[in-house]
Amino acid sequence: MASSSSNLISLKTSDGTVFKVERALAKTMKTVQAIIEEADANIYMIPIHNVFSHHMDMIIDYYKLSVAGKSKEFSVEKLDNDELKDFLLAVHYLNMEDLFEVLTQAVADRLEKKSVGYVRKYFGIENDFTPEEYAAIRKKNDWAFKGDDIEPEEDEEKQEE
């Protein structure tokens, strides 16, 4: 009979924390799974770059809820926008499709009904249009700019209320 430790994989996060996780969880991480399949059977620890220990804690929480059939109870509401984007990038790096969908929906929910200016600020996109070009685009596509008179800072203040 195989020992329970053979069902565990050690993952080392970017900040040096080692997590011993079930193989079933590791299999949900296609990046880790590819490393396991390509490596010899004696692999002891897999470094997971771009993933920090706080990300792994949330990934494990999601996995436990998912296994229990309660994945809809997983929430990222406590994360600010930068933390959510970092977590999304970590999950993308690990290629975890189900959790990636949850996180992209969370980002979409946060951006819903926000101004173009707010979305630009959220993603760090600089407006490279001249004022004349911007005015012409805004006039042509007026329907897409509803609520754009609200500045990003005003959007954030309304969210906090």
Side-chain angles (χ1 to χ4, degrees):
M1 182 174 204
S3 70
S4 63
S5 65
S6 67
N7 288 327
L8 298 177
I9 305 273
S10 293
L11 303 175
K12 186 175 182 180
T13 60
S14 292
D15 53 357
T17 305
V18 176
F19 288 83
K20 292 186 184 273
V21 300
E22 298 173 18
R23 283 188 180 273
L25 170 55
K27 285 184 177 184
T28 67
M29 304 173 188
K30 291 183 179 176
T31 302
V32 172
Q33 187 60 30
I35 293 169
I36 292 169
E37 290 172 359
E38 290 178 14
D40 62 23
N42 297 324
I43 191 164
Y44 295 104
M45 185 160 327
I46 299 172
I48 47 174
H49 310 289
N50 306 326
V51 180
F52 291 92
S53 56
H54 59 279
H55 298 142
M56 275 305 298
D57 289 333
M58 291 186 283
I59 288 168
I60 291 168
D61 289 345
Y62 175 79
Y63 174 74
K64 288 177 181 176
L65 287 170
S66 181
V67 167
K70 299 178 179 182
S71 59
K72 292 189 187 250
E73 292 179 17
F74 182 76
S75 174
V76 291
E77 293 300 316
K78 65 183 183 260
L79 300 179
D80 67 27
N81 289 340
D82 289 333
E83 291 169 333
L84 178 57
K85 288 186 282 187
D86 287 343
F87 186 35
L88 180 68
L89 291 173
V91 169
H92 182 262
Y93 169 75
L94 293 171
N95 199 359
M96 299 180 71
E97 292 175 3
D98 291 344
L99 184 52
F100 187 74
E101 270 188 46
V102 169
L103 297 178
T104 54
Q105 185 60 56
V107 170
D109 291 345
R110 288 187 183 189
L111 296 178
E112 186 176 22
K113 297 181 182 176
K114 299 295 185 202
S115 67
V116 172
Y118 180 88
V119 174
R120 273 196 199 105
K121 183 176 178 186
Y122 187 92
F123 288 111
I125 299 170
E126 188 175 317
N127 182 3
D128 58 352
F129 290 113
T130 65
E132 295 80 21
E133 291 172 324
Y134 185 74
I137 291 169
R138 188 175 176 127
K139 185 176 180 180
K140 181 179 176 184
N141 301 300
D142 188 48
W143 61 269
F145 289 90
K146 289 184 180 174
D148 196 42
D149 294 331
I150 300 171
E151 292 300 315
E153 296 79 25
E154 292 176 27
D155 277 351
E156 289 171 356
E157 289 171 11
K158 286 183 180 180
Q159 260 188 345
E160 292 172 4
E161 292 175 357

